[in-house]
Amino acid sequence: MSKKVRVRFAPSPTGPLHIGGVRTALFNYLFAKKHNGDFVLRIEDTDQNRYVEGAEDYIVKSLNWCGIPFDEGPTSTTLSTSSKNEKFGPYRQSERKHLYKQYADQLIAEGKAYHAFDTSEELDAHRKQHEAEGKTFIYNWHNREKGRLVNSLVLSEEETQAKINAGDDYVVRFKSPQDKTLQLKDIIRGDISIDTNILDDKILFKSDGMPTYHLANIVDDHLMEITHVIRGEEWLPSLALHKLLYDAFGWEAPEFAHLPLILKPTGKGKLSKRDGDKLGFPVFPLAWTDPKTNEVSRGYKEDGYFPEAVVNFLAFLGWNPGTEQEIFSLEQLVNDFDLARVNKAGARFDPDKTKWFNHHYMQQQLDLELATEFQSKNILLKDIDVNYIALVVGLIKERATFVSDFWELSHFFFVSPTDYDEKASKKALKEGTDEILNKVIELVNSTEDFTVENLQANIKGWITDNDIGFGKVMMPLRLALVGALQGPDVFNIMHMIGKVETVKRIEALVKTI
């Protein structure tokens, strides 16, 4: 690639960033870093009616949490890590609105766009009339010059200027070409042919001084020297217009890649927040509080997912490396990522697979870090040495997917059982169990160096020497220590809780028999 690669992620600050948006940001980031390029964050806030307070900071915070920060972007967010690039900024479209009118005027002057004064009521009447005749109303070549529509193609120059001077509302529409076949290229979807006769004359600019998405998008991508536009499949219908706009301005178009949809777990339809609410998984990277309703939506971070797990599973929503490898660090993803290996077909979201990734990354975390988090979330642990908690975490994390699973898996390391599982008791407590447990108490008391190895040697040696079934000893012993037939190695538990606590727990069970 001769030109420096520059890509952009251009969300609208209309609410929390959906996990599909994070996937788009990730693919842009991976592509940029693979080619030593720039990853730009641009905030597309031209629709001020839909602007939501806090949404922009949420976007920045989400990218930072995922470990995919932007190289260039808005600088006045409270969480920005980048400096403004004077050549390409500002990075909010609302701060760039002075730029767009000259480009709309240029297209009008060159006969590639025109003023249209039709009111919404007049357009509604045209639509209804077409519906009544079994047709679809499209504002384009077949009706724009017939006189029934009010635009500068049918009005004289003087009439047009008079309307503008009088303050009549207007829009600037792009004059889509007639009888042409447009040849488009998409890195993921290949060659696409479009008959320009089916295109409508999209609105580019409004008399309130604000551009529409289409004009602002093209102008910004050009001025920011974006080389590759990697975006969601929902923008594929706009590709023809965007290519026509590049051609109209005489600019070189970037390369386009339209990512596949992320589908519901059933594989039918686009993944939505409702799916997450219904099936119990988040669809946002971070928890989000709606500023109007105060409704809180779950986030992957708050649900206990590691950012590495989120990035790893998102990478596989639409991309595959062509090998059996599934675990990728961010650095490995940068090395291996290739848009040629992104699928056209929608990618099914699998909540169980996201947990599988998180379980894997749980095993990679340092026990002390996990212990610190575990302690911070459980008031019963506040006075316990974090190094002891870390030893416990090392014994149980293999069976955990989230830090929130730890207490269920480890409570018996910190507190004695207050009752005994009924089913486990029936299985473990037989005639003679009390005598066996009293003998175990003797063995425990006689073990001076209270190590896992010594306990194992003494108790297992006694079982073997006396030809007793292991289950007759080990099941009630586990029940005494844990309160149920679960948990890690019994001798590890005894070593961790110590001799005095071990004897106390066995005696407590013997009293109930």
Side-chain angles (χ1 to χ4, degrees):
M1 296 184 187
S2 52
K3 282 167 73 175
K4 184 175 186 183
V5 166
R6 288 177 58 79
V7 300
R8 86 305 194 269
F9 176 54
S12 297
T14 55
L17 186 61
H18 186 277
I19 207 73
V22 183
R23 195 269 310 259
T24 299
L26 173 64
F27 282 19
N28 273 281
Y29 176 91
L30 296 177
F31 186 82
K33 298 305 157 192
K34 184 181 180 76
H35 298 288
N36 299 311
D38 296 326
F39 173 50
V40 177
L41 174 68
R42 187 172 72 222
I43 301 298
E44 306 215 330
D45 57 351
T46 50
D47 190 347
Q48 289 293 302
N49 294 324
R50 296 179 63 221
Y51 177 82
V52 173
E53 193 67 43
E56 186 182 316
D57 267 357
Y58 177 92
I59 291 163
V60 174
K61 200 188 280 188
S62 297
L63 298 181
N64 288 343
W65 179 72
C66 289
I68 51 172
F70 53 86
D71 300 308
E72 294 170 27
T75 52
S76 60
T77 72
T78 56
L79 301 147
S80 174
T81 55
S82 286
S83 60
K84 190 172 180 176
N85 184 314
E86 291 304 326
K87 181 180 176 184
F88 298 118
Y91 295 92
R92 292 185 192 92
Q93 283 187 339
S94 59
E95 294 171 5
R96 300 171 63 85
K97 61 183 178 186
H98 61 285
L99 295 169
Y100 305 115
K101 188 174 186 304
Q102 62 180 313
Y103 293 100
D105 289 345
Q106 179 186 331
L107 292 178
I108 291 168
E110 293 173 0
K112 295 168 183 173
Y114 57 94
H115 292 96
F117 299 93
D118 316 274
T119 64
S120 53
E121 292 78 18
E122 287 167 346
L123 292 174
D124 276 342
H126 285 301
R127 283 189 196 97
K128 283 173 183 163
Q129 186 186 337
H130 275 70
E131 280 170 22
E133 295 169 6
K135 299 175 186 173
T136 303
F137 174 73
I138 303 177
Y139 201 130
N140 67 2
W141 61 274
H142 84 280
N143 57 12
R144 63 192 174 204
E145 295 181 51
K146 284 185 177 173
R148 295 179 65 190
L149 297 169
V150 188
N151 58 55
S152 58
L153 299 177
V154 292
L155 298 171
S156 69
E157 208 172 308
E158 292 75 20
E159 287 172 317
T160 300
Q161 197 55 52
K163 278 185 165 293
I164 294 170
N165 293 344
D168 286 9
D169 285 342
Y170 69 85
V171 297
V172 175
R173 288 184 180 271
F174 182 65
K175 191 177 178 185
S176 291
Q178 184 180 349
D179 298 331
K180 284 192 176 178
T181 302
L182 200 56
Q183 300 296 340
L184 307 170
K185 279 190 180 295
D186 185 279
I187 296 170
I188 295 166
R189 288 151 207 284
D191 294 335
I192 303 167
S193 293
I194 299 285
D195 176 4
T196 61
N197 286 346
I198 65 168
L199 301 176
D200 56 340
D201 289 0
K202 289 282 189 207
I203 296 171
L204 302 179
F205 197 82
K206 299 175 182 177
S207 52
D208 64 3
M210 287 302 276
T212 61
Y213 168 82
H214 300 293
L215 180 65
N217 187 279
I218 296 308
V219 169
D220 287 345
D221 282 348
H222 172 70
L223 296 179
M224 292 183 180
E225 296 180 13
I226 300 301
T227 58
H228 295 77
V229 172
I230 303 165
R231 58 189 181 186
E233 184 180 291
E234 63 270 24
W235 295 111
L236 196 56
S238 302
L239 179 57
L241 171 64
H242 293 179
K243 180 64 170 70
L244 286 169
L245 281 168
Y246 277 104
D247 293 346
F249 285 119
W251 298 337
E252 183 185 350
E255 292 188 57
F256 290 92
H258 288 85
L259 306 176
L261 290 176
I262 298 178
L263 304 175
K264 299 172 187 284
T266 59
K268 293 176 182 175
K270 188 178 176 182
L271 181 72
S272 69
K273 179 181 178 295
R274 194 176 294 128
D275 298 313
D277 293 342
K278 189 175 165 188
L279 298 171
F281 61 85
V283 295
F284 303 128
L286 311 176
W288 167 259
T289 304
D290 189 303
K292 288 181 181 172
T293 64
N294 282 327
E295 181 193 350
V296 178
S297 298
R298 296 163 62 175
Y300 276 93
K301 180 187 178 187
E302 292 75 13
D303 268 25
Y305 285 84
F306 301 105
E308 302 95 326
V310 172
V311 164
N312 202 152
F313 83 70
L314 282 179
F316 275 81
L317 289 177
W319 171 82
N320 76 79
T323 65
E324 295 298 307
Q325 183 180 345
E326 290 187 284
I327 301 299
F328 282 82
S329 67
L330 189 58
E331 190 181 345
Q332 287 173 313
L333 284 171
V334 168
N335 288 334
D336 287 26
F337 186 74
D338 186 351
L339 284 171
R341 296 209 61 84
V342 175
N343 303 315
K344 283 186 272 192
R348 187 176 70 85
F349 185 88
D350 183 351
D352 293 330
K353 193 68 176 180
T354 64
K355 290 178 182 175
W356 179 87
F357 276 110
N358 210 59
H359 176 267
H360 170 83
Y361 283 99
M362 169 75 78
Q363 312 318 310
Q364 315 304 310
Q365 307 298 313
L366 294 174
D367 293 345
L368 190 59
E369 286 181 11
L370 292 171
T372 303
E373 187 181 344
F374 182 27
Q375 186 179 45
S376 72
K377 291 179 175 177
N378 193 313
I379 197 164
L380 295 172
L381 303 179
K382 70 181 175 68
D383 297 324
I384 295 174
D385 183 353
V386 74
N387 293 300
Y388 175 79
I389 300 172
L391 291 172
V392 172
V393 166
L395 293 172
I396 55 104
K397 72 177 183 181
E398 189 186 321
R399 287 180 288 283
T401 301
F402 305 105
V403 172
S404 58
D405 298 333
F406 284 0
W407 182 252
E408 179 64 30
L409 294 168
S410 70
H411 57 87
F412 44 84
F413 282 105
F414 308 105
V415 292
S416 305
T418 52
D419 52 32
Y420 304 98
D421 181 79
E422 193 179 335
K423 205 171 172 185
S425 297
K426 281 182 183 173
K427 194 174 180 183
L429 304 180
K430 308 291 182 191
E431 196 177 329
T433 295
D434 53 343
E435 293 170 24
I436 287 171
L437 289 178
N438 281 324
K439 181 60 186 173
V440 171
I441 290 170
E442 284 178 34
L443 292 166
V444 169
N445 279 324
S446 66
T447 304
E448 287 186 16
D449 189 6
F450 209 69
T451 64
V452 171
E453 294 74 21
N454 287 346
L455 286 165
Q456 198 165 352
N458 289 352
I459 294 172
K460 283 192 172 179
W462 172 75
I463 292 171
T464 306
D465 292 345
N466 290 276
D467 202 20
I468 305 169
F470 270 84
K472 285 186 176 178
V473 180
M474 301 308 287
M475 278 203 290
L477 178 54
R478 183 177 290 282
L479 185 66
L481 300 173
V482 176
L485 298 180
Q486 65 180 62
D489 181 75
V490 162
F491 302 109
N492 274 313
I493 299 172
M494 294 165 77
H495 167 68
M496 291 289 289
I497 65 176
K499 184 186 286 190
V500 173
E501 181 65 19
T502 297
V503 170
K504 189 177 125 191
R505 291 189 189 187
I506 300 171
E507 285 175 343
L509 179 61
V510 169
K511 283 178 187 170
T512 69
I513 299 174

